[in-house]
Amino acid sequence: MFRVRNLKIWRRLYIQWILLLWGLLLISADSTYCPGACFCPSLTKNVYCSRKNLPVIPNGIPADTTQLNLNDNPFSETTLERSNFSFYTRLEQLFLKGCGIEYVSLDTFADLPKLKWLDLSKNRLKSIDDYTLRGLTLEHLFLNDNPGIQLSKNAFGGLRTTGLYIHECAISNLAIEVFKPLNGTLKALWIDKNKIESFGIEWLYLFRKLSHVRLGNNPFHCNCEIAWLFTFYHKDQNNQNKIPSKEEPSCRSPPNVRGKDFGTLTEDDFACQLPVFKNVDLIFEESVGKLTCLAGGDPVPTIHWIKPDNTSETYHPKTNLVHKQDNEGVMYISNPHSVSNVRYQCIASNPAGNVTLSLNVFWPTHYPRDVGIPDTPKPEKPQTFKPTTPSPTPPDKAEESHFKTVFQKPKPGGSGKEKDKIYVINATKAGMSMERRVTPPDQSSDYTVVDIIGAVVGTFVLTLIACVVIFHIFYRHHEKIFRDHSPTLSEKSPHVRSLAPAEKLLLQNNQV
């Protein structure tokens, strides 16, 4: 009985030793094996496969690899999937720079809980979608040198990282909401060498939390909107340490500060310009009205149309236009005959203040009919009224100007309704009344070629007749003068009176 029990124990121990040795052999094999195109230094768990012209991730990479370098390989498949890395659960550093990657699928790195370094720089990444990198706790995330990359609002949702590098990506618009998931973990942020023109003051909270930030080589527009960044950088020595001197922010515009670093500027250099109205255009038809308000300023103003019932329409500046300084608000009105006299207000506002333009609109009660418009008219510039620019005023004392106008036939060659358009302009400013009325052009009818030829021929004939009459009158007058002053004999001469009638007749014939 005792022997049987000992035999079972020894058999169990023997099997355990065999399994243990087999496991050690497998681990040893995994640690020493290296793909043929790669380099695996001894006594390390690193695999270097960079610049090997590999179209895919090579097979045979040891499962216990902690650092995998695949930089500068032209991958034929440009989308990364979760299956590409699910076997390498011990990875701490993954380098995929310059591999032509365009898209990273959701949870691609979800099986890499120990990952600390992730380098996706110098690829062709088009976007980072929501929660793509969730679950990772990184020390450094490199997304730089991906021109045109788009970061969704929750691109970093579920991610924790202390360093984020997105420089040289040609980014022009960067929303602060993108970085909110990183609050509390992010310490270093590189967003230099992009196309960012301005940061809103909401970025101040994030910059204060950082220990290192790079903003240089961005085309900053140095007006009052970015004055907070100048104060943040210039007045606090600790903040200057956050931004390296070689990466000091500088101004691209406006022209008076172009090319100057923040260290050479003062607070007065960061100024905004009050909005200025550049054009107001009113076009009314029988069933619809079109009100256009154009204003400029620095920064570009927002346009608000205030209706008589105190409702409003807002027109924000378009952010996708480069160096645009004007904004236009176009509002259409229906049922114009519901009221005879109404007031509309156009308000242009920016951080420098507000400017208000009030318009008393008198809807015309009569619209001309049968207005002759040539079939092929010569294009002419639409008649508009450009109001006098109001003097700058603070937001709480915005100046008001009043306009009212009337003119007809603004644009020939239009549709039937366009022929009956009526425009009106009347201005009142600062207590002074001024009225400007544009007289409607005379009605004109069409002329045919026959009419034109008849007019030319008639004019020629009348001119010829007038010349003949004038010549005849001139000739008769000249003949009479010649006869009265001629030295020849006449009946009044004493010699002639003594002649006989027959002799007088003979004398006259001789004279003739």
Side-chain angles (χ1 to χ4, degrees):
M1 192 73 174
F2 180 74
R3 291 183 179 179
V4 174
R5 186 176 297 176
N6 289 338
L7 181 62
K8 289 181 179 180
I9 293 174
W10 282 107
R11 186 180 297 174
R12 186 181 301 171
L13 291 175
Y14 175 76
I15 294 173
Q16 290 178 352
W17 278 105
I18 293 297
L19 293 176
L20 180 61
L21 291 174
W22 179 254
L24 292 175
L25 290 174
L26 289 177
I27 294 174
S28 177
D30 287 342
S31 301
T32 57
Y33 182 78
C34 186
C38 303
F39 170 64
C40 306
S42 58
L43 303 179
T44 68
K45 296 181 180 180
N46 302 338
V47 177
Y48 299 96
C49 304
S50 59
R51 292 181 291 277
K52 300 298 182 181
N53 202 32
L54 299 174
V56 295
I57 299 175
N59 294 322
I61 297 176
D64 61 344
T65 300
T66 58
Q67 183 185 121
L68 177 59
N69 190 325
L70 295 167
N71 288 342
D72 301 314
N73 284 295
F75 288 172
S76 58
E77 180 58 50
T78 59
T79 298
L80 295 181
E81 302 285 350
R82 183 171 183 173
S83 58
N84 296 135
F85 307 101
S86 59
F87 186 65
Y88 314 115
T89 57
R90 301 182 186 180
L91 273 179
E92 297 177 4
Q93 299 179 3
L94 177 58
F95 299 92
L96 295 165
K97 181 180 69 175
C99 294
I101 300 168
E102 297 181 359
Y103 187 72
V104 179
S105 301
L106 180 66
D107 293 333
T108 294
F109 310 105
D111 297 320
L112 308 180
K114 296 184 178 181
L115 192 63
K116 300 299 181 183
W117 287 60
L118 177 58
D119 189 353
L120 295 170
S121 61
K122 292 189 177 181
N123 282 288
R124 297 195 297 269
L125 287 173
K126 301 182 183 299
S127 65
I128 301 295
D129 295 338
D130 292 348
Y131 306 104
T132 296
L133 305 170
R134 64 186 176 184
L136 294 179
T137 302
L138 303 176
E139 294 178 359
H140 302 284
L141 173 60
F142 299 89
L143 297 174
N144 50 289
D145 293 285
N146 281 285
I149 187 174
Q150 299 292 323
L151 301 175
S152 66
K153 183 178 180 180
N154 291 305
F156 302 131
L159 169 70
R160 298 173 63 88
T161 183
T162 55
L164 178 60
Y165 312 91
I166 50 176
H167 52 283
E168 297 183 80
C169 287
I171 296 175
S172 57
N173 295 311
L174 198 57
I176 185 63
E177 289 76 15
V178 175
F179 300 93
K180 286 184 177 180
L182 303 177
N183 286 343
T185 64
L186 189 63
K187 299 301 181 183
L189 177 62
W190 292 21
I191 49 179
D192 54 307
K193 299 179 182 178
N194 281 294
K195 297 182 179 180
I196 302 171
E197 294 187 358
S198 182
F199 286 107
I201 194 170
E202 63 272 10
W203 286 79
L204 180 59
Y205 176 80
L206 175 63
F207 287 171
R208 283 175 174 172
K209 296 293 183 180
L210 299 176
S211 58
H212 184 85
V213 59
R214 292 195 177 188
L215 304 172
N217 292 297
N218 278 296
F220 288 127
H221 182 66
C222 297
N223 61 7
C224 65
E225 288 185 307
I226 206 172
W228 69 267
L229 183 60
F230 169 78
T231 303
F232 171 80
Y233 170 76
H234 188 68
K235 289 190 174 182
D236 193 331
Q237 185 65 34
N238 293 329
N239 293 335
Q240 289 185 6
N241 294 332
K242 292 182 181 181
I243 306 176
S245 58
K246 64 178 181 179
E247 296 292 338
E248 181 180 357
S250 61
C251 302
R252 178 71 62 86
S253 59
N256 60 308
V257 294
R258 181 181 179 88
K260 295 183 179 180
D261 296 334
F262 276 22
T264 63
L265 300 176
T266 64
E267 290 184 2
D268 295 336
D269 293 318
F270 295 81
C272 289
Q273 297 177 1
L274 193 72
V276 176
F277 290 109
K278 295 189 175 182
N279 184 40
V280 176
D281 188 17
L282 301 87
I283 303 177
F284 304 140
E285 299 183 30
E286 289 192 51
S287 60
V288 68
K290 177 183 177 183
L291 279 67
T292 302
C293 183
L294 178 67
D298 183 15
V300 181
T302 298
I303 302 296
H304 307 273
W305 269 114
I306 309 299
K307 301 178 183 179
D309 59 359
N310 290 328
T311 60
S312 64
E313 292 186 10
T314 301
Y315 305 85
H316 296 282
K318 297 179 180 179
T319 57
N320 57 342
L321 298 179
V322 181
H323 303 305
K324 181 178 175 61
Q325 295 184 347
D326 299 338
N327 189 21
E328 184 179 61
V330 180
M331 183 174 63
Y332 292 90
I333 310 170
S334 59
N335 297 325
H337 296 294
S338 60
V339 288
S340 59
N341 181 10
V342 292
R343 171 175 290 191
Y344 291 87
Q345 287 185 323
C346 178
I347 301 177
S349 63
N350 69 5
N354 303 329
V355 179
T356 302
L357 179 70
S358 296
L359 301 107
N360 292 324
V361 178
F362 293 85
W363 295 95
T365 58
H366 173 69
Y367 291 83
R369 297 293 182 184
D370 300 326
V371 181
I373 302 295
D375 293 336
T376 56
K378 180 180 179 181
E380 64 181 49
K381 186 177 180 180
Q383 303 184 44
T384 60
F385 173 62
K386 296 185 177 180
T388 305
T389 302
S391 58
T393 54
D396 56 342
K397 297 182 179 180
E399 179 181 0
E400 292 192 4
S401 300
H402 306 277
F403 292 87
K404 183 182 86 161
T405 58
V406 180
F407 62 91
Q408 301 174 357
K409 283 182 61 182
K411 189 183 296 183
S415 62
K417 291 185 178 180
E418 290 177 349
K419 297 177 183 178
D420 297 336
K421 290 181 182 176
I422 293 184
Y423 306 63
V424 186
I425 309 182
N426 174 343
T428 305
K429 178 182 177 184
M432 298 180 61
S433 198
M434 178 184 67
E435 183 173 344
R436 168 177 175 172
R437 293 187 179 273
V438 183
T439 305
D442 297 333
Q443 296 184 1
S444 60
S445 58
D446 298 339
Y447 295 99
T448 63
V449 177
V450 176
D451 294 335
I452 297 175
I453 294 177
V456 173
V457 172
T459 303
F460 176 79
V461 172
L462 290 176
T463 303
L464 182 61
I465 293 174
C467 290
V468 171
V469 171
I470 293 172
F471 179 80
H472 177 73
I473 294 173
F474 176 80
Y475 177 78
R476 297 293 297 173
H477 179 70
H478 182 73
E479 182 181 24
K480 183 175 180 302
I481 294 174
F482 177 79
R483 189 178 331 151
D484 292 343
H485 295 80
S486 176
T488 58
L489 294 176
S490 63
E491 290 185 355
K492 296 181 180 180
S493 175
H495 300 285
V496 175
R497 286 198 299 269
S498 62
L499 294 178
E503 293 175 337
K504 290 180 181 180
L505 180 59
L506 178 63
L507 179 59
Q508 291 176 357
N509 292 334
N510 290 334
Q511 290 177 353
V512 175

